[in-house]
Amino acid sequence: MKNNSVETEIKLDKGNKPKEQYVHSVFESIAGKYDIMNDILSFRQHKRWRKFTMKRMNIQHGDTAVDLCCGTCDWTISMANASGSGQIVGLDFSEGMLNVGRRKVNNEGLDDQIALVQGNAMALPFEDNRFDYATIGFGLRNVPDYVKVLEEMKRVVKPGGMVVCLELSKPTWQPFKGLYFFYFRKLLPLMAKLFAKRYEQYKWLPESVELFPGREELSEVFRKIGLTRVEAYPLTFGIAALHIGIKEKTDV
């Protein structure tokens, strides 16, 4: 299955760089301020969204997981704490983000449980049927081919395993939708310039959301790649969405 809306060949108007190269440069440049900017720009809602996601996942002792686009590893660490003993792998293409994550993992004393890998979410360096969970948080809209990433997530989870995506989405309820997009397009980049001295990098954020499929569209993608029992939850009036799908136990 090919994703026609967001391809590797798409050029952004940021020096005419391919999407993958541009996104990499963005995250390398904002790694040091990524966490504080998430708190400021989402009004700390991202922590509530992740808490809700963890409740729906219901990780059990010893479960294993791979966290794609793991960034600074907040979700990776949460899964390790929930599992207690299962191996958790965090993968990201940005060494700058991983360096921040490594410090957090070390501070939590989780070096033996969490392995951090620099890699490509569209070509995972893991064997089939390895993990109980494959997760991606606020990263799927940034990849050149999100369908390929979801297919890779499905490949590496065990039969009966769970594919989980927590991502920004598009509110549908008016008048909140209009207010949200005004904040997202106009105010958010200005706040990023004020707090992080970054404007263009965060100006790109609303563009990435607008190019990404809405909640129902992404649910259909989950089904088309063969995931079952697909669930989709709108979060905070649809600002974000949680998608969950299960790999069939007979799908090996």
PDB file of all heavy atoms in Angstrom, residues 35 37 39 66 72 74-75 77-78 102 107 152 186 191 196 214 219 225 229-230 232 244 247:
ATOM      1  N   ASP A  35      11.054  19.190  25.459  1.00  0.00           N
ATOM      2  CA  ASP A  35      10.151  18.859  26.564  1.00  0.00           C
ATOM      3  C   ASP A  35       9.412  20.085  27.090  1.00  0.00           C
ATOM      4  O   ASP A  35       8.193  20.054  27.284  1.00  0.00           O
ATOM      5  CB  ASP A  35      10.919  18.185  27.700  1.00  0.00           C
ATOM      6  CG  ASP A  35      11.369  16.782  27.328  1.00  0.00           C
ATOM      7  OD1 ASP A  35      10.720  16.150  26.479  1.00  0.00           O
ATOM      8  OD2 ASP A  35      12.382  16.322  27.888  1.00  0.00           O
ATOM      9  N   MET A  37       8.862  22.865  25.569  1.00  0.00           N
ATOM     10  CA  MET A  37       7.958  23.388  24.558  1.00  0.00           C
ATOM     11  C   MET A  37       6.695  22.542  24.458  1.00  0.00           C
ATOM     12  O   MET A  37       5.605  23.075  24.224  1.00  0.00           O
ATOM     13  CB  MET A  37       8.666  23.476  23.202  1.00  0.00           C
ATOM     14  CG  MET A  37       9.741  24.540  23.136  1.00  0.00           C
ATOM     15  SD  MET A  37       9.155  26.188  23.639  1.00  0.00           S
ATOM     16  CE  MET A  37       7.863  26.466  22.431  1.00  0.00           C
ATOM     17  N   ASP A  39       5.243  21.090  26.947  1.00  0.00           N
ATOM     18  CA  ASP A  39       4.427  21.527  28.084  1.00  0.00           C
ATOM     19  C   ASP A  39       3.742  22.854  27.791  1.00  0.00           C
ATOM     20  O   ASP A  39       2.542  23.025  28.049  1.00  0.00           O
ATOM     21  CB  ASP A  39       5.296  21.674  29.336  1.00  0.00           C
ATOM     22  CG  ASP A  39       5.658  20.336  29.960  1.00  0.00           C
ATOM     23  OD1 ASP A  39       5.065  19.324  29.574  1.00  0.00           O
ATOM     24  OD2 ASP A  39       6.536  20.322  30.836  1.00  0.00           O
ATOM     25  N   VAL A  66       8.416  -1.703  21.507  1.00  0.00           N
ATOM     26  CA  VAL A  66       9.298  -0.816  20.756  1.00  0.00           C
ATOM     27  C   VAL A  66       8.557   0.495  20.589  1.00  0.00           C
ATOM     28  O   VAL A  66       7.389   0.531  20.191  1.00  0.00           O
ATOM     29  CB  VAL A  66       9.705  -1.412  19.387  1.00  0.00           C
ATOM     30  CG1 VAL A  66       8.502  -1.729  18.504  1.00  0.00           C
ATOM     31  CG2 VAL A  66      10.681  -0.476  18.671  1.00  0.00           C
ATOM     32  N   THR A  72      12.586  12.174  23.340  1.00  0.00           N
ATOM     33  CA  THR A  72      13.314  12.287  24.604  1.00  0.00           C
ATOM     34  C   THR A  72      12.875  11.242  25.625  1.00  0.00           C
ATOM     35  O   THR A  72      13.196  11.355  26.797  1.00  0.00           O
ATOM     36  CB  THR A  72      13.157  13.697  25.189  1.00  0.00           C
ATOM     37  OG1 THR A  72      11.774  13.965  25.421  1.00  0.00           O
ATOM     38  CG2 THR A  72      13.718  14.744  24.232  1.00  0.00           C
ATOM     39  N   ASP A  74      10.052  10.031  27.163  1.00  0.00           N
ATOM     40  CA  ASP A  74       9.072  10.032  28.246  1.00  0.00           C
ATOM     41  C   ASP A  74       8.171   8.801  28.184  1.00  0.00           C
ATOM     42  O   ASP A  74       7.936   8.139  29.197  1.00  0.00           O
ATOM     43  CB  ASP A  74       8.214  11.302  28.193  1.00  0.00           C
ATOM     44  CG  ASP A  74       8.944  12.518  28.731  1.00  0.00           C
ATOM     45  OD1 ASP A  74      10.026  12.346  29.333  1.00  0.00           O
ATOM     46  OD2 ASP A  74       8.447  13.637  28.548  1.00  0.00           O
ATOM     47  N   TRP A  75       7.637   8.518  26.986  1.00  0.00           N
ATOM     48  CA  TRP A  75       6.740   7.370  26.854  1.00  0.00           C
ATOM     49  C   TRP A  75       7.513   6.062  27.002  1.00  0.00           C
ATOM     50  O   TRP A  75       7.043   5.107  27.625  1.00  0.00           O
ATOM     51  CB  TRP A  75       6.030   7.427  25.503  1.00  0.00           C
ATOM     52  CG  TRP A  75       4.820   6.533  25.416  1.00  0.00           C
ATOM     53  CD1 TRP A  75       4.308   5.719  26.383  1.00  0.00           C
ATOM     54  CD2 TRP A  75       3.949   6.388  24.291  1.00  0.00           C
ATOM     55  NE1 TRP A  75       3.186   5.066  25.931  1.00  0.00           N
ATOM     56  CE2 TRP A  75       2.945   5.471  24.652  1.00  0.00           C
ATOM     57  CE3 TRP A  75       3.930   6.950  23.019  1.00  0.00           C
ATOM     58  CZ2 TRP A  75       1.925   5.090  23.769  1.00  0.00           C
ATOM     59  CZ3 TRP A  75       2.907   6.582  22.145  1.00  0.00           C
ATOM     60  CH2 TRP A  75       1.923   5.674  22.514  1.00  0.00           C
ATOM     61  N   ILE A  77      10.045   5.468  28.876  1.00  0.00           N
ATOM     62  CA  ILE A  77      10.267   5.264  30.316  1.00  0.00           C
ATOM     63  C   ILE A  77       8.984   4.833  31.012  1.00  0.00           C
ATOM     64  O   ILE A  77       8.993   3.939  31.877  1.00  0.00           O
ATOM     65  CB  ILE A  77      10.843   6.548  30.940  1.00  0.00           C
ATOM     66  CG1 ILE A  77      12.283   6.751  30.459  1.00  0.00           C
ATOM     67  CG2 ILE A  77      10.791   6.492  32.469  1.00  0.00           C
ATOM     68  CD1 ILE A  77      12.864   8.112  30.798  1.00  0.00           C
ATOM     69  N   SER A  78       7.855   5.423  30.635  1.00  0.00           N
ATOM     70  CA  SER A  78       6.575   5.030  31.226  1.00  0.00           C
ATOM     71  C   SER A  78       6.275   3.561  30.971  1.00  0.00           C
ATOM     72  O   SER A  78       5.803   2.840  31.867  1.00  0.00           O
ATOM     73  CB  SER A  78       5.436   5.898  30.655  1.00  0.00           C
ATOM     74  OG  SER A  78       5.566   7.237  31.047  1.00  0.00           O
ATOM     75  N   ARG A 102      18.704   9.508  26.624  1.00  0.00           N
ATOM     76  CA  ARG A 102      19.679   8.686  27.356  1.00  0.00           C
ATOM     77  C   ARG A 102      19.920   9.219  28.761  1.00  0.00           C
ATOM     78  O   ARG A 102      20.050   8.440  29.711  1.00  0.00           O
ATOM     79  CB  ARG A 102      20.996   8.637  26.585  1.00  0.00           C
ATOM     80  CG  ARG A 102      20.971   7.772  25.347  1.00  0.00           C
ATOM     81  CD  ARG A 102      22.355   7.592  24.740  1.00  0.00           C
ATOM     82  NE  ARG A 102      22.270   6.866  23.489  1.00  0.00           N
ATOM     83  CZ  ARG A 102      22.282   7.429  22.290  1.00  0.00           C
ATOM     84  NH1 ARG A 102      22.407   8.761  22.190  1.00  0.00           N
ATOM     85  NH2 ARG A 102      22.173   6.717  21.197  1.00  0.00           N
ATOM     86  N   ASN A 107      19.092   8.550  34.496  1.00  0.00           N
ATOM     87  CA  ASN A 107      18.634   9.124  35.763  1.00  0.00           C
ATOM     88  C   ASN A 107      17.575   8.254  36.433  1.00  0.00           C
ATOM     89  O   ASN A 107      17.467   8.223  37.663  1.00  0.00           O
ATOM     90  CB  ASN A 107      18.069  10.528  35.535  1.00  0.00           C
ATOM     91  CG  ASN A 107      19.136  11.551  35.199  1.00  0.00           C
ATOM     92  OD1 ASN A 107      20.319  11.340  35.493  1.00  0.00           O
ATOM     93  ND2 ASN A 107      18.747  12.650  34.576  1.00  0.00           N
ATOM     94  N   GLU A 152       5.353  -1.693   9.277  1.00  0.00           N
ATOM     95  CA  GLU A 152       6.515  -2.158  10.017  1.00  0.00           C
ATOM     96  C   GLU A 152       6.166  -2.414  11.489  1.00  0.00           C
ATOM     97  O   GLU A 152       6.637  -3.391  12.089  1.00  0.00           O
ATOM     98  CB  GLU A 152       7.650  -1.133   9.919  1.00  0.00           C
ATOM     99  CG  GLU A 152       8.435  -1.191   8.633  1.00  0.00           C
ATOM    100  CD  GLU A 152       9.314  -2.443   8.592  1.00  0.00           C
ATOM    101  OE1 GLU A 152      10.437  -2.420   9.116  1.00  0.00           O
ATOM    102  OE2 GLU A 152       8.837  -3.459   8.042  1.00  0.00           O
ATOM    103  N   LYS A 186      -1.264  30.695  14.040  1.00  0.00           N
ATOM    104  CA  LYS A 186      -0.793  32.051  14.275  1.00  0.00           C
ATOM    105  C   LYS A 186      -0.020  32.217  15.591  1.00  0.00           C
ATOM    106  O   LYS A 186       1.069  32.791  15.611  1.00  0.00           O
ATOM    107  CB  LYS A 186      -1.985  33.020  14.262  1.00  0.00           C
ATOM    108  CG  LYS A 186      -2.804  32.982  12.981  1.00  0.00           C
ATOM    109  CD  LYS A 186      -1.997  33.425  11.773  1.00  0.00           C
ATOM    110  CE  LYS A 186      -2.872  33.477  10.519  1.00  0.00           C
ATOM    111  NZ  LYS A 186      -2.095  33.874   9.310  1.00  0.00           N
ATOM    112  N   MET A 191       4.765  31.832  20.013  1.00  0.00           N
ATOM    113  CA  MET A 191       5.163  31.369  21.338  1.00  0.00           C
ATOM    114  C   MET A 191       6.469  30.595  21.270  1.00  0.00           C
ATOM    115  O   MET A 191       7.325  30.721  22.147  1.00  0.00           O
ATOM    116  CB  MET A 191       4.043  30.502  21.942  1.00  0.00           C
ATOM    117  CG  MET A 191       2.785  31.288  22.273  1.00  0.00           C
ATOM    118  SD  MET A 191       1.429  30.196  22.783  1.00  0.00           S
ATOM    119  CE  MET A 191       2.094  29.541  24.328  1.00  0.00           C
ATOM    120  N   ALA A 196      11.564  29.438  22.759  1.00  0.00           N
ATOM    121  CA  ALA A 196      12.619  28.535  22.288  1.00  0.00           C
ATOM    122  C   ALA A 196      13.505  29.153  21.223  1.00  0.00           C
ATOM    123  O   ALA A 196      14.420  28.486  20.736  1.00  0.00           O
ATOM    124  CB  ALA A 196      12.000  27.243  21.753  1.00  0.00           C
ATOM    125  N   GLY A 214      -7.218  12.616   9.150  1.00  0.00           N
ATOM    126  CA  GLY A 214      -8.008  12.777  10.358  1.00  0.00           C
ATOM    127  C   GLY A 214      -8.232  11.458  11.066  1.00  0.00           C
ATOM    128  O   GLY A 214      -7.790  10.392  10.621  1.00  0.00           O
ATOM    129  N   SER A 219      -8.043   5.526  11.108  1.00  0.00           N
ATOM    130  CA  SER A 219      -8.645   4.257  11.524  1.00  0.00           C
ATOM    131  C   SER A 219      -8.774   3.317  10.335  1.00  0.00           C
ATOM    132  O   SER A 219      -8.509   2.108  10.444  1.00  0.00           O
ATOM    133  CB  SER A 219     -10.032   4.502  12.131  1.00  0.00           C
ATOM    134  OG  SER A 219      -9.958   5.260  13.301  1.00  0.00           O
ATOM    135  N   ILE A 225      -4.327  -2.229   6.537  1.00  0.00           N
ATOM    136  CA  ILE A 225      -3.072  -2.986   6.629  1.00  0.00           C
ATOM    137  C   ILE A 225      -3.261  -4.290   7.409  1.00  0.00           C
ATOM    138  O   ILE A 225      -2.301  -5.024   7.628  1.00  0.00           O
ATOM    139  CB  ILE A 225      -1.945  -2.146   7.261  1.00  0.00           C
ATOM    140  CG1 ILE A 225      -2.212  -1.830   8.728  1.00  0.00           C
ATOM    141  CG2 ILE A 225      -1.703  -0.883   6.463  1.00  0.00           C
ATOM    142  CD1 ILE A 225      -1.018  -1.236   9.451  1.00  0.00           C
ATOM    143  N   ARG A 229      -9.841  -5.082  15.516  1.00  0.00           N
ATOM    144  CA  ARG A 229     -10.329  -4.459  16.752  1.00  0.00           C
ATOM    145  C   ARG A 229      -9.798  -3.031  16.889  1.00  0.00           C
ATOM    146  O   ARG A 229      -9.328  -2.606  17.956  1.00  0.00           O
ATOM    147  CB  ARG A 229      -9.946  -5.294  17.970  1.00  0.00           C
ATOM    148  CG  ARG A 229     -10.725  -6.596  18.074  1.00  0.00           C
ATOM    149  CD  ARG A 229     -10.351  -7.355  19.325  1.00  0.00           C
ATOM    150  NE  ARG A 229      -9.179  -8.183  19.124  1.00  0.00           N
ATOM    151  CZ  ARG A 229      -8.471  -8.722  20.112  1.00  0.00           C
ATOM    152  NH1 ARG A 229      -8.798  -8.480  21.373  1.00  0.00           N
ATOM    153  NH2 ARG A 229      -7.431  -9.480  19.857  1.00  0.00           N
ATOM    154  N   VAL A 230      -9.862  -2.300  15.788  1.00  0.00           N
ATOM    155  CA  VAL A 230      -9.324  -0.936  15.754  1.00  0.00           C
ATOM    156  C   VAL A 230     -10.186  -0.008  16.612  1.00  0.00           C
ATOM    157  O   VAL A 230     -11.415   0.014  16.482  1.00  0.00           O
ATOM    158  CB  VAL A 230      -9.244  -0.420  14.304  1.00  0.00           C
ATOM    159  CG1 VAL A 230      -8.780   1.033  14.271  1.00  0.00           C
ATOM    160  CG2 VAL A 230      -8.305  -1.301  13.484  1.00  0.00           C
ATOM    161  N   ALA A 232     -10.401   4.125  18.077  1.00  0.00           N
ATOM    162  CA  ALA A 232      -9.912   5.490  17.901  1.00  0.00           C
ATOM    163  C   ALA A 232     -10.601   6.384  18.922  1.00  0.00           C
ATOM    164  O   ALA A 232     -11.823   6.381  19.032  1.00  0.00           O
ATOM    165  CB  ALA A 232     -10.183   5.989  16.489  1.00  0.00           C
ATOM    166  N   ILE A 244      -5.590   2.431  18.242  1.00  0.00           N
ATOM    167  CA  ILE A 244      -5.101   1.130  18.689  1.00  0.00           C
ATOM    168  C   ILE A 244      -5.601   0.061  17.726  1.00  0.00           C
ATOM    169  O   ILE A 244      -6.760   0.069  17.316  1.00  0.00           O
ATOM    170  CB  ILE A 244      -5.584   0.810  20.115  1.00  0.00           C
ATOM    171  CG1 ILE A 244      -4.946   1.768  21.129  1.00  0.00           C
ATOM    172  CG2 ILE A 244      -5.292  -0.643  20.492  1.00  0.00           C
ATOM    173  CD1 ILE A 244      -5.495   1.610  22.534  1.00  0.00           C
ATOM    174  N   LYS A 247      -2.824  -7.103  16.050  1.00  0.00           N
ATOM    175  CA  LYS A 247      -2.370  -8.026  15.012  1.00  0.00           C
ATOM    176  C   LYS A 247      -3.013  -9.377  15.254  1.00  0.00           C
ATOM    177  O   LYS A 247      -2.909  -9.943  16.354  1.00  0.00           O
ATOM    178  CB  LYS A 247      -0.844  -8.153  15.066  1.00  0.00           C
ATOM    179  CG  LYS A 247      -0.242  -9.111  14.046  1.00  0.00           C
ATOM    180  CD  LYS A 247       1.266  -9.051  14.097  1.00  0.00           C
ATOM    181  CE  LYS A 247       1.928 -10.025  13.147  1.00  0.00           C
ATOM    182  NZ  LYS A 247       3.405  -9.887  13.123  1.00  0.00           N
TER     183      LYS A 247
END
